[in-house]
Amino acid sequence: MQYWLMKSEPGELSIDDLANLPGKKIEWFGVRNYQARNFMRDEMKKGDLALFWHSSCKEPGIYGIVKIATSPHPDSTQFVVTSHYYDPKSNIENPRWWCVDVELLQKTCYISIGTLRNHPELGDLQVLQKGNRLSVTKVSAKHWQILNKLLNG
DNA sequence: GCCAACGTTGGC
DNA sequence: GCCAACGTTGGC
């Protein structure tokens, strides 16, 4: 079992958007970065857990916990000509962009990035590193335990 | 809206 | 395959 952190802009897909979907489940569409894609395509397993993070907003931080609900599959939006995420260089036979579906397990209390920075034991969490831009990152089991206490304690 | 950090592109 | 120029991300 691997733990992850996945970023979403609230204007794109908010935690409440997700909570209001049928089955609270959605394709994690729109990732157009190779490193993040590789994590999803090559390393994510159905049943893995991930922190749901809001970025590019007034209050960045953790808002929930999601479960990886499917095996990796091609991102459907890359083939939709009218989509913002359409990629003319991709094709059905050899899709360039891959993703998974996620299901909301728990809408948690909000933990701000500032709060996280106040916990020295979380210092090397990737999302807190300077210059971090990856929208999908790994979370160690140790960090996950600490975060779970913060989220539920 | 600023800007540092990082990723991608493309000419050579 | 180098690297300058450009684009994007995302906290502040």
Side-chain angles (χ1 to χ4, degrees), chain A residues 7-8 24-25 28-29 37 47 52 55 61 66 74 77 82 89 99 102 124 146:
Chain A
K7 294 185 196 168
S8 176
K24 303 184 178 186
K25 207 157 105 172
W28 201 258
F29 62 91
R37 177 208 66 181
F52 186 102
S55 63
V66 297
T77 61
T82 54
K89 291 182 190 164
C99 66
V102 304
D124 48 354
I146 297 167

Side-chain angles (χ1 to χ4, degrees), chain A residues 20-92:
Chain A
N20 289 327
L21 287 170
K24 303 184 178 186
K25 207 157 105 172
I26 195 170
E27 176 183 26
W28 201 258
F29 62 91
V31 171
R32 295 294 179 267
N33 167 284
Y34 288 105
Q35 213 179 330
R37 177 208 66 181
N38 291 348
F39 277 153
M40 289 196 286
R41 186 190 62 183
D42 304 334
E43 297 196 45
M44 270 191 187
K45 298 262 184 347
K46 192 173 168 178
D48 282 358
L49 299 178
L51 300 165
F52 186 102
W53 180 280
H54 272 167
S55 63
S56 292
C57 58
K58 228 174 188 176
E59 297 182 311
I62 299 169
Y63 285 82
I65 296 175
V66 297
K67 182 175 75 177
I68 309 308
T70 65
S71 303
H73 56 79
D75 179 334
S76 66
T77 61
Q78 69 194 302
F79 306 121
V80 180
V81 180
T82 54
S83 168
H84 176 243
Y85 295 110
Y86 175 62
D87 184 352
K89 291 182 190 164
S90 186
N91 62 78
I92 302 267

Side-chain angles (χ1 to χ4, degrees), chain A residues 5 7 53 113 116-117 119-134 137-138 143:
Chain A
L5 183 148
K7 294 185 196 168
W53 180 280
I113 190 166
L116 293 173
R117 289 196 199 285
H119 288 265
E121 67 272 31
L122 293 172
D124 48 354
L125 193 67
Q126 197 172 349
V127 78
L128 300 180
Q129 303 314 303
K130 192 175 180 186
N132 160 77
R133 282 172 34 182
L134 258 194
T137 52
K138 289 185 179 179
H143 283 155

